[in-house]
Amino acid sequence: MSVPELKKRVDVSVEGYVIAAYPVGENVLAATGEGELFLLDGATGRTLERVRAHAGRANAAALSPAGAHVVTCGQDGRARVFDARTLVPHADLPSPSAWVEAATFSPKGDLVAIACGRRVRVFGVDGSPVVESEDHPSTVTALTFGRDGKRLLTAAYGGVCVFSLAERRTIRRFEWKGSLVSLAMSPDDKVVACGSQDGSVHFWRLSTGRDSAMTGYPFKPKSLAWDSASSLLATGGDTKVTVWDFQGKGPEGTAPIQLDAHKGLVSSLAFAERRALLASGGEETAVFLWEPRKSRAPSAFGLTDDVVTSLRFGKGSLVAGSAAGRVTLFEM
Amino acid sequence: MTGTKIPVTVLTGFLGSGKTTLLNRILTENHGQRIAVIENEFGEIGIDQALVIEADEEVFEMNNGCICCTVRGDLIRILGNLVKRRDKFDRIVVETTGMADPSPVAQTFFVDDDTKDLFALDGIVTLVDAKHVSLHLDESDECKEQVAFADVIVLNKTDLVSAEELARVETRLRAMNSLARVVRAEHAKVPMDVVLDVGGFDLDRALEKKPTFLEPEYPFEWGGVFELTENVELKLEPGPDPAIDVVVLPAGDEPIEALAERVMRAHQKDPSSVAPDGVVEANGEWRRLVLGEGTCRWRITVPRPGPYALFTQHLPEEFSLELLAQGRALAPLRRRDFAAGHTHDATVSSVGLSATGELRPEALQEWIGKVLREQGTDIFRMKGIVALKGSPTRLVLQGVHMLLDTNQDKPWGDAPRTNDIVFIGRNLDREKLEAGFRGCLA
């Protein structure tokens, strides 16, 4: 059975490791490790805007849920918010640490939280300070808002903390003695999943606090993705994509769905907005599309030029970024 | 180790040992390399073009609180972000705080896949302050660990101590860590290739630098080169042993280290004894000088006047050893202390094992596995090159605590099959290790 190849509509270089690439309206937004932002024409790939976000370099970026703003995390002691459609600077978010390593928007897009060393700072999207956390036991590696936008979940060595914005303090801890490297909250706000340095994925059910560990990954599960129904969790940490099914009594005690096509480690994962359509990118430059509920075989493939560092579905498109600085828009 | 990996140098040493001075030298020296520095103690680094990154030494346990599975979480993150830069660095220097145990840094390069893929630990450089290191060694486990872990020990601030004190300190350091290269320095002035191209975790390169680096240990503690004529006397007073082994050989203008390597290869286990008033020829053969009562003298005969090297089993001062020409004591043109086979430090020492022939693979695996399981917390470093039965290539072993890396190295070809393993650690039982090792011989 031959797998169809995805057609590339845009395939251009942005001269820097792509830390994030998103479809924004008709265009594509890309952020590079060099600290630059690009707005590319979604039809031709032509550069419409190019902005230097950071004098130093950038570690990470995040797009607000509705695609109105983008935040970049610099190595110059600040994060910056830009209008995602025009790249006009919107706000500067000062950090107490030299490096900002992660950022996230609230579900409504009105707040932005940044991870600065052991602390987290929350700002209004206009840059007004809202709250700062106390020191975590170690550096915060990932963070996300709860669905109501009133709680912030952070991952670090030693577990997950739930921080209440209103109470300005940590109200819950999920402990795990290990270094957590990734974090993803299920869209229904019920389960927080983390990849750990020791080759496992942990998830905690918020209602009961119950902790489950899925061990035996050969590598660190650095990429995680939930489908919009909160029933499938796709995880990296291997050349296979391991998908845990939360429907029914699972996933505890059940065998995961394993999707095997990559020749290199899975480096990036994304689910489409509506149905359980999954995209995976690998260190060997390949991108695969899957429908895990229907088949263990990929439904389509595409190729980039290096490690796939970013994947995001748009309307009728899939945008990929690579470590060599290529941004590719595949037509769906 | 592939050529594409970025080499990482780790700089350890107590506060005041001169780390910042050395770091500034590394950064300002015109070596044409782009260097990123990851540092924990903020020294006075006044360098604009270098990238200096703050880190806060987050030591993470990997599992079950085993000492051997600690890594530096901050290092993993920082190195992971550094590879997102277009301008690649030629080298990374990681400075640790004065009281830091070097294990987590070293183990990061063994344990973390991302780090292993992109970076190669080149070597651990430990700075010690010649004036205070003895005190630190007596009082601090961290200082012992830093010395034990080192590939290179920079014995700094030599201008602050006497030659005798320096010799004593260097001997002590060598006894603790026979694998490290000890370099003396004032104001942290050392040649850059000594600290930046160590090859401490790449045995191939280390071997190129010093072909016999895994030799167990020198059978002598001291060597000196003297200008000798006819009629030179060697004078001894009674010392801690009833006899002392010596060898005299033509030195030419060879460095002492090269002579030492040659002498070591020719060392016989039981040299012929010479009673007082006997003769020692300068022919490179070992002689055992058996002491009598009081001051004893031997005559040294040389084929022609010129520079000759004298190597002695013990330090000359232990026997008040002197070379006399017309009754006047000769001063050595150059001299060096070598770590001796027996250690003076009861806690940290090096044990070298060496045998010709081949080892049985399964026996070796079982023995090393057992040693690392039972004594891994006490074993800081282990290096070895061995010949396995049925394998045409040399097997290289590298260990940090319980973590062991093995690599197939180049073919033996016609070279004689030899096995050398060195352990550096606390409370090592030489006899037991020796017996276990011998038990693996085919």
Side-chain angles (χ1 to χ4, degrees), chain A residues 15-17 19 33-34 57 59 75 98-99 101 118 138-139 141 157 177 179 197-198 219-220 222, chain B residues 51 53-54 56 58-62 71 76-78 81-87 112-114:
Chain A
E15 297 168 40
Y17 184 108
I19 52 178
E34 300 303 291
R57 300 296 195 283
N59 294 319
Q75 295 184 1
W99 284 25
E101 292 190 52
R118 296 176 185 225
S138 75
T139 300
T141 55
Y157 175 76
K177 194 164 182 174
S179 175
Q197 170 91 32
D198 57 15
F219 298 92
K220 289 181 269 190
K222 286 184 290 189
Chain B
L51 174 72
I53 302 157
E54 287 174 66
D56 49 3
E58 295 188 323
V59 176
F60 291 170
E61 282 173 20
M62 291 292 285
V71 297
I76 294 173
R77 273 198 324 276
I78 289 169
N81 275 322
L82 278 184
V83 300
K84 297 177 187 172
R85 300 171 67 111
R86 223 180 161 72
D87 51 342
D112 184 62
D113 298 302
D114 296 346

Side-chain angles (χ1 to χ4, degrees), chain A residues 163-178:
Chain A
F163 183 83
S164 158
L165 272 63
E167 297 181 46
R168 311 176 80 86
R169 65 184 185 91
T170 298
I171 51 173
R172 244 180 129 177
R173 285 179 201 278
F174 299 110
E175 300 202 348
W176 169 248
K177 194 164 182 174

Side-chain angles (χ1 to χ4, degrees), chain B residues 30 61 109 126 129 161 195 205 209 225 240 252 302 310 362 376 390 442:
Chain B
N30 191 5
E61 282 173 20
F109 293 87
T126 297
D129 155 1
V161 294
V195 289
R205 294 230 329 282
K209 289 193 163 208
V225 173
V302 298
L310 163 71
E362 59 288 346

